[in-house]
Amino acid sequence: MRSSHLSPPWLCIVGVLVSVVIAPRTSHCAGLSAALASATESQSVLQPSVIIDDTEIHEIIAQPTLRRQIPRIRFSGDRGTYEFLVSHPPLATQLARRLHPPLERYTVTQVGDGVYTVEDRGALRGEARLIVATGDQRVYRFQGEFRSLANLLRFSGRMVLILRYREVREGGRTFMDSDPDFYLRIDHPFFHVMSKLLSPLISGLIDRRVNMIVDATRKLFDQAQSDPKRLFQQMNTWPEVAPADLEAYRHALVEKEVIAR
């Protein structure tokens, strides 16, 4: 079990993200007909080739309390760099924390294959689970509790993050375009209604966290893409980076740069 600080290029967008997530204190009920309707509606926002056998994801997408489509985010770098960082959340979050100190308050701990617990010093507690990973899309499901405004705003809920990405070449440079899509579901009827009324406030809270994570992610991509060897040398002096992650980074990014030359 490893603990690190959250930045989603995990969740790196991530989480993260990466970001923006919420700990297992939810309850929900759905009849068979509601589940079937949810599955039909949610499948329309997923890639046609991606079939998700997860009732909770279909329910959240079909009946969200709040949906946020984040404007397209562009990072410098290629698919190899992007997918390496997204596939190594503990390492990506440690690097982002070093490069962007405002993320120090976020922590994420890997507790299983594709499963992470996330905390923001008591304001955010939750579990993130990778449900689907394809060549250009990742789907995460979150559940947990969020508190803000000196604990005046407090709710438990579930969330789905659909992360689509693609490599783009322009002007002799390579970029990764990322399109995050959030679906938040508050399960308590009262808070579900109140959250809809407070959606501008909640949207603002999400936007601030997303902007902070995007800033950190851009710094990380710039470093990993422009001078991976120098970043590797810095990582060698950071005690929180596990030897296995250090070796994986060297093999994936430092050796790739040498071969490219």
Side-chain angles (χ1 to χ4, degrees), residues 106-166:
Y106 292 90
T107 61
V108 58
T109 303
Q110 185 168 357
V111 295
D113 185 17
V115 183
Y116 308 87
T117 57
V118 181
E119 187 166 0
D120 172 13
R121 295 183 183 175
L124 178 72
R125 297 187 61 226
E127 179 183 275
R129 184 179 297 268
L130 176 64
I131 304 298
V132 169
T134 66
D136 51 9
Q137 177 174 264
R138 287 176 182 255
V139 180
Y140 297 89
R141 172 163 50 81
F142 305 92
Q143 60 182 35
E145 181 181 80
F146 177 84
R147 286 174 284 182
S148 188
L149 302 178
N151 288 332
L152 293 177
L153 178 62
R154 176 174 178 171
F155 58 86
S156 295
R158 295 168 289 155
M159 190 174 73
V160 172
L161 165 62
I162 301 174
L163 180 61
R164 301 178 183 88
Y165 54 91
R166 65 190 183 101

Side-chain angles (χ1 to χ4, degrees), residues 11-177:
L11 264 138
C12 215
I13 273 229
V14 235
V16 235
L17 191 184
V18 219
S19 113
V20 39
V21 297
I22 25 187
R25 293 181 55 180
T26 64
S27 61
H28 64 281
C29 348
L32 177 60
S33 60
L36 292 174
S38 298
T40 301
E41 186 170 346
S42 64
Q43 192 59 47
S44 67
V45 304
L46 299 166
Q47 290 180 343
S49 59
V50 177
I51 304 299
I52 297 180
D53 184 18
D54 189 299
T55 303
E56 283 197 63
I57 282 185
H58 297 311
E59 179 186 350
I60 296 165
I61 290 177
Q63 297 179 319
T65 305
L66 179 68
R67 179 185 179 184
R68 293 291 292 158
Q69 290 180 291
I70 307 300
R72 178 167 294 167
I73 305 166
R74 173 163 289 188
F75 304 108
S76 61
D78 57 20
R79 178 181 290 272
T81 301
Y82 185 96
E83 291 189 339
F84 173 80
L85 293 172
V86 172
S87 300
H88 293 78
L91 175 62
T93 57
Q94 290 164 348
L95 300 183
R97 173 182 179 266
R98 285 281 185 172
L99 299 173
H100 197 70
L103 288 177
E104 288 181 350
R105 59 185 296 165
Y106 292 90
T107 61
V108 58
T109 303
Q110 185 168 357
V111 295
D113 185 17
V115 183
Y116 308 87
T117 57
V118 181
E119 187 166 0
D120 172 13
R121 295 183 183 175
L124 178 72
R125 297 187 61 226
E127 179 183 275
R129 184 179 297 268
L130 176 64
I131 304 298
V132 169
T134 66
D136 51 9
Q137 177 174 264
R138 287 176 182 255
V139 180
Y140 297 89
R141 172 163 50 81
F142 305 92
Q143 60 182 35
E145 181 181 80
F146 177 84
R147 286 174 284 182
S148 188
L149 302 178
N151 288 332
L152 293 177
L153 178 62
R154 176 174 178 171
F155 58 86
S156 295
R158 295 168 289 155
M159 190 174 73
V160 172
L161 165 62
I162 301 174
L163 180 61
R164 301 178 183 88
Y165 54 91
R166 65 190 183 101
E167 187 177 83
V168 179
R169 298 180 184 274
E170 288 185 5
R173 298 183 61 190
T174 303
F175 303 92
M176 290 300 297
D177 282 349

Side-chain angles (χ1 to χ4, degrees), residues 199-245:
S199 61
L201 172 61
I202 296 174
S203 296
L205 294 173
I206 292 175
D207 288 346
R208 284 196 293 275
R209 281 166 170 78
V210 168
N211 289 337
M212 180 174 63
I213 289 169
V214 169
D215 288 343
T217 304
R218 285 200 172 114
K219 290 180 182 179
L220 175 54
F221 271 85
D222 287 344
Q223 292 257 6
Q225 180 71 15
S226 64
D227 198 345
K229 185 175 180 180
R230 180 172 180 271
L231 182 56
F232 175 76
Q233 292 170 342
Q234 291 177 305
M235 292 163 57
N236 237 328
T237 67
W238 297 339
E240 68 270 24
V241 178
D245 285 339

